[in-house]
Structure formats: C-alpha cells, structure tokens
Amino acid sequence: MIGAVIGDIIGSVYEWRNVLSEDFPLFSKYTHFTDDTAMTLAVAQKLLNDRKGVSEKAEIAYAAWFKAYYKRYPNAGYGAMFSKWAQSGELYVQKSYGNGAAMRIVPIGYAFDNIKDIKKEVEASCYYTHHNAEAIQCAYAVALAVFLARSGSDKSEIRNTVEKQTGLDLDFSLNDVRGSGFSSRSKESVPQAIVAFLESSGYESAVRKAISIGGDSDTIACMAGGIAEAYYKNIPDEIVSKAYGYLDGSSKRLIKDFRETFV
Ligand SMILES: [Mg+2]
C-alpha cells in the first residue's frame, strides 16, 4: 500500500494547481502527505489489529481509527464534512458520496483472499463516514482492482471484473476526461484513477497519468498508485526513498508492518 501513499505525496502539490501533462517534477519543496495517506494508514492499522486478534465490530473499529488518525494528523487537508465528523465526540452516520471512502481503501485489497470478504469489509469501512451507494461502489472498485492486480489478473480481466461487479463504466480514455475540473465526487475521480492505471506502463507512468488529467490529483494518484503497485509489484527505489522522507517514523513502521503481514 506504499504505492497509494506515494501517489498521494506526489499528487499533493497538484490538487490545487493542476498540470494537464505527464511532464512535471515528482517532488518539490511543497510536497507533503495529505488526508489520503493519513486515512490509508488508519485502514492499514485496523487490518493489522484484526490479525493481532483484536476483535471489535468492524464498523466501529474503522470509525475509531479514522478519528484517531485525524487526531494524529489534524492538518492533512480533510474535507469540512469529514472534519466535523472526526472532531465530534459522537458516532453518527454521514452519507457522503465523496471519494474519501475510496482514497483510503487500498489496504483492504491485500487483506482478504476473496471478493465476498473484500466487499463486506469495504462496506464496514464506509458505514459511518460514507453511508452512500456511490461511495461504497467506488471504494469497492478500487479494493477489487487491487485484489485482482495482486492476484495475477491481467488488465482486461481487471477492467471487465470491476465493471461487472460494480457497474462502473471504465470505457473511456484519459484524453476524454483531461481538464474536466475539480471534483471530489466518487464517480468523477475513481473511474478516472482506474483508467489511469489501465493506460499505464509502470508505477511511475500510472501516477503521472493520474495527475495529468487534473481534478483531485492527490486522491486520483493515490488510488491509481495503489492499484499500480499491486499490479507491477515494483516501484523505482529512488521514488520510494524520496517519498519516505515525507513520512514520520510511526507511519514508516506501520507500512513495513503491513507489508510483512500482507504483501
Ligand atoms: Mg488529499
């Protein structure tokens, strides 16, 4: 799931300053990790805890880790609706259709060995923050793509299975959607991320393509990067070591722990 984190880090400076090209510097002095990374770490932490035998209702466990990671990284750039929920002392259901559910979902694609369990876990992760059919459908699409990619499916199998299982339309090219403007709606960023991966030729290519269409760049690159890592199984060393420089010790330990347990 480091592929998702690195996609977010690289995309961080392009969310509000879109580059509609694949030719841009991967890192700059303004590069940082954002909410996509913080929440991906929260999901990874929940899944690791399950393996350690901590048993808690999944919906509640996700909500607790989202709130804990929000507290740990309060300035990571969350949306207003999520911030309000995360800061609240109460646990209530929000019906967001935003891509916040899909941006953090990559670890789930590694933690289960069948589609049914992945779907169930995705729904649990969405229960409190994204109680919405579109958000769940799109989060499931990303988790499913990661699962298929890491299990050896080729790109046409991934495209067909994701379309069939989720009903999403992946039959377009990045050229069709480049420059459509900013949207953090699930349906206007998740299919785009999957197609960026499908059109890519390697990890770096997937991230560059994801950012090249504009829009919610850190999140699109996070999702495309997460799928691309699962598929290509290789991220250039210099990109990994550079990106690690933006993470703190506990994040790096968690990523290592997750990798040793699930990857
Ligand atoms: Mg973000």
Side-chain angles (χ1 to χ4, degrees):
M1 102 313 193
I2 183 70
V5 169
I6 296 175
D8 170 50
I9 288 172
I10 293 173
S12 61
V13 294
Y14 299 109
E15 177 179 7
W16 303 115
R17 200 166 53 85
N18 282 173
V19 272
L20 302 179
S21 149
E22 291 177 35
D23 184 19
F24 55 81
L26 293 178
F27 301 99
S28 79
K29 64 175 179 171
Y30 301 110
T31 299
H32 58 286
F33 75 83
T34 84
D35 52 339
D36 306 52
T37 290
M39 291 299 117
T40 299
L41 295 174
V43 170
Q45 180 84 71
K46 188 273 176 193
L47 295 166
L48 276 168
N49 258 37
D50 289 352
R51 285 289 168 102
K52 287 172 188 150
V54 180
S55 82
E56 217 178 347
K57 201 167 182 295
E59 291 82 348
I60 307 268
Y62 276 113
W65 283 116
F66 296 151
K67 285 182 184 245
Y69 271 77
Y70 176 86
K71 227 175 175 177
R72 187 177 300 179
Y73 304 111
N75 301 315
Y78 306 88
M81 197 174 166
F82 180 82
S83 292
K84 194 172 160 225
W85 177 88
Q87 285 165 9
S88 167
E90 274 155 60
L91 194 51
Y92 59 90
V93 166
Q94 270 197 153
K95 300 186 174 177
S96 168
Y97 59 57
N99 56 23
M103 77 183 186
R104 66 192 181 202
I105 213 76
V106 165
I108 291 180
Y110 284 97
F112 300 89
D113 58 9
N114 68 81
I115 289 181
K116 219 177 115 214
D117 288 347
I118 287 178
K119 185 152 193 230
K120 208 174 127 212
E121 191 74 8
V122 167
E123 286 168 356
S125 76
C126 292
Y127 187 85
Y128 284 105
T129 58
H130 295 78
H131 208 83
N132 172 278
E134 177 182 327
I136 295 169
Q137 168 197 42
C138 289
Y140 177 45
V142 174
L144 182 58
V146 168
F147 169 71
L148 295 167
R150 78 169 174 88
S151 315
S153 292
D154 65 24
K155 285 186 180 171
S156 73
E157 284 166 344
I158 295 171
R159 179 194 297 270
N160 294 338
T161 309
V162 170
E163 283 190 324
K164 204 168 142 224
Q165 288 283 326
T166 68
L168 286 178
D169 178 11
L170 302 176
D171 187 22
F172 62 90
S173 81
L174 294 183
N175 285 335
D176 300 333
V177 295
R178 183 168 288 112
S180 308
F182 182 87
S183 170
S184 58
R185 184 169 183 155
S186 296
K187 263 193 172 159
E188 292 167 356
S189 48
V190 172
Q192 288 76 352
I194 299 173
V195 170
F197 154 69
L198 290 171
E199 289 189 13
S200 70
S201 56
Y203 178 80
E204 182 177 341
S205 153
V207 169
R208 286 190 179 279
K209 284 182 184 295
I211 290 169
S212 79
I213 59 175
D216 192 355
S217 288
D218 55 341
T219 297
I220 299 173
C222 170
M223 299 185 289
I227 303 166
E229 180 201 9
Y231 184 81
Y232 298 111
K233 301 184 171 59
N234 178 46
I235 302 176
D237 287 343
E238 67 275 18
I239 294 181
V240 176
S241 59
K242 192 91 210 256
Y244 263 68
Y246 299 94
L247 297 171
D248 62 20
S250 70
S251 301
K252 284 186 267 199
R253 272 193 302 280
L254 176 60
I255 290 167
K256 186 165 171 272
D257 206 4
F258 187 85
R259 191 180 174 80
E260 285 168 4
T261 307
F262 294 108
V263 184

